[in-house]
Amino acid sequence: MPVIDPNHTWTLLEERLAVTTDERHRVVLKAVIEHMKAEAAADLDRLMATLSPAPAYHFWYGGNDVGPKGTDGVRTYYSDFVASRSNVLEYTLDRLVLDDHCLVTEGFLKQIYPGTYAAQLGFPVDDESADYLIVHRQLLLWPVDGNGMIQGEDSYGTGPTSITKLSFEELPQQYIDLVHPSVG
């Protein structure tokens, strides 16, 4: 049975959208849901279409901002993300906070990494030919402009809370098709 289901990423947002009557809040929720779905589909053009003309990402690690800035920087970031084959993920949300200009999400980000890429990033893996589920606790701020476009992401994470070597049976089909097409 697969260890993650990418569709869970936007479940809490869709539940909130179903009961939200404030039109501006609906705009913010819809923008982030579309962004999440485009990311899951690895559709770069669709993903970039959710962003404002000058997006700025802030990924805070060890007190430093390492996020991409500007359209070209963000496009390169997402192109590299898809090329890494670590884009099969589930962001299981515990909480969301919403206002007219920002959505805040908090939960566990679960991603499957090819062992070689996990090792390249410095994660302690013992078999670079294996696949790993790496879980992080993450808080994301999603600022949304007056036109309903996402202005970037401000990400605060804990670092890995767990790293688990996966069996082939635990891999979702989307990941198998991406990383192990000759086996699937």
Side-chain angles (χ1 to χ4, degrees), residues 5 7-8 33 40 48 54-55 59 90 119 140 143 155 165 171 173:
D5 180 353
N7 295 306
H8 290 159
I33 290 168
M48 295 303 295
F59 299 155
E90 177 182 331
L140 275 172
S155 173
K165 187 187 302 186
L171 300 174
Q173 190 63 49

Side-chain angles (χ1 to χ4, degrees), residues 119-170:
Q120 178 185 345
L121 294 176
F123 294 118
V125 298
D126 63 359
D127 180 359
E128 290 189 19
S129 66
D131 301 290
Y132 291 85
L133 177 67
I134 301 180
V135 180
H136 299 262
R137 183 76 181 166
Q138 185 168 32
L139 182 128
L140 275 172
L141 289 85
W142 306 81
V144 177
D145 70 16
N147 295 318
M149 307 303 287
I150 296 171
Q151 295 172 294
E153 297 178 17
D154 291 354
S155 173
Y156 301 84
T158 62
T161 58
S162 66
I163 300 173
T164 307
K165 187 187 302 186
L166 299 175
S167 69
F168 189 79
E169 293 74 30
E170 294 173 300

